[in-house]
Amino acid sequence: MTTDDTRSRQPASPGLAEAAAGEWEPWAGPRPSHGRMNRLAIAAFVLGLLGGVLGAVAGVVALRRIRRTGERGRGLAVAGLVLCGVWALALALVLTGVVSRPDPAVGVRGLRAGDCFRVDDTPTGTRTAPEEVATVPCTAPHDAELVDRLPAYVRHAGEAYPGTAALSARAETACRQQQRSYVLDPLSLPPDVRLRWYVPSRVEWPTYPQITCYLAAGSTPLTRQLRQDATVVRPEQLAYLMATRELDEARAVLAAQGPTAAPAELRAMVARTATANGRFWLALSAQAWPAQVKEPMEKLIAEAQEAAAYWRDAEKAADRDQTLRLVAQAEQRREPQTELAVRRALGLSTVQGEPAR
């Protein structure tokens, strides 16, 4: 046999002999296991239905093994991964909702100063707090806004429940004081808004003896926040409101009680108002005001200075008639339009219930 004969009997390409014997395969890698299902793929699908991180881990590992071994189950592994993704998305949506949106149904204890909420009714008297209130944005219709929570009493351990009447008396004094700081400009309050409060019940008394002060709407729901304190108003607005508050309160008391007060009480009211008037124009004079406020503010200061002489004379008046006559002359020095011009320039309320700008 020649060399040419030997070559003519060899296969035309490598592997044909093995193919003839059933041993050659036309792809690289291990031989597929066509009848075997990958167990991790099954586990990934089941865990994906139940939710959890393990389903995603099992799915990734299963895909790697299937790629290497050729086992069946790729579809189950992918389905498990998809299900895990759906669970993760649902959980993220739930958590986002909890963080970004206040719980619409919370107890009064969960409220903070400035929160707006809805209640079933706004009683004129005192009552204990409801178990749940619906919190809403202050721009949505609501009928209450929390002012503050205060200790009902500085009590001793084991002190007996004092009753709603005693708690109500304490609440009225304490809540009005808090409202004074919460709403620095009473003119900004709608005319039908009233101060209300909840007092602790007998059951709450041992563990939560708190008074809850809130502003309640009248017949018309509120659609804005009523808060007007140092955290809300601008610095120049705050300076004016703090300067005028003492004088406004003294004048209001004098106008309401002065005509019928005993001589000594009347004299004390006049002295208080005279002192407040002096502090008023001194505080305004010491402040640097924006350009648009300067002209009306200078006029207001001049009117208060003019009135000061009449207040001093009223303090020294010999009798009630002369005192009241000098008080009236002091009040005439103040032009209402001047104060309105100052308020307008500052962006403060000029009529009852108008919000500040």
Side-chain angles (χ1 to χ4, degrees), residues 30-41 61-75:
R31 185 181 303 174
S33 302
H34 293 289
R36 187 167 59 188
M37 175 68 71
N38 185 280
R39 293 180 180 179
L40 277 176
V61 175
L63 287 176
R64 289 179 178 174
R65 289 190 180 180
I66 290 170
R67 191 180 300 113
R68 188 173 67 252
T69 65
E71 292 175 315
R72 292 188 299 122
R74 187 177 185 279

Side-chain angles (χ1 to χ4, degrees), residues 144-204:
E145 180 176 330
L146 185 71
V147 174
D148 207 349
R149 283 190 301 274
L150 308 164
Y153 281 101
V154 179
R155 65 185 184 86
H156 303 290
E159 183 180 348
Y161 183 64
T164 56
L167 290 173
S168 178
R170 160 73 172 164
E172 182 170 8
T173 301
C175 289
R176 293 202 184 283
Q177 185 62 32
Q178 290 304 113
Q179 180 190 352
R180 187 172 180 266
S181 300
Y182 189 80
V183 184
L184 292 174
D185 186 8
L187 196 62
S188 68
L189 285 178
D192 57 350
V193 166
R194 296 292 181 269
L195 182 66
R196 299 284 181 256
W197 47 82
Y198 296 126
V199 298
S201 66
R202 188 178 297 275
V203 174
E204 292 173 317

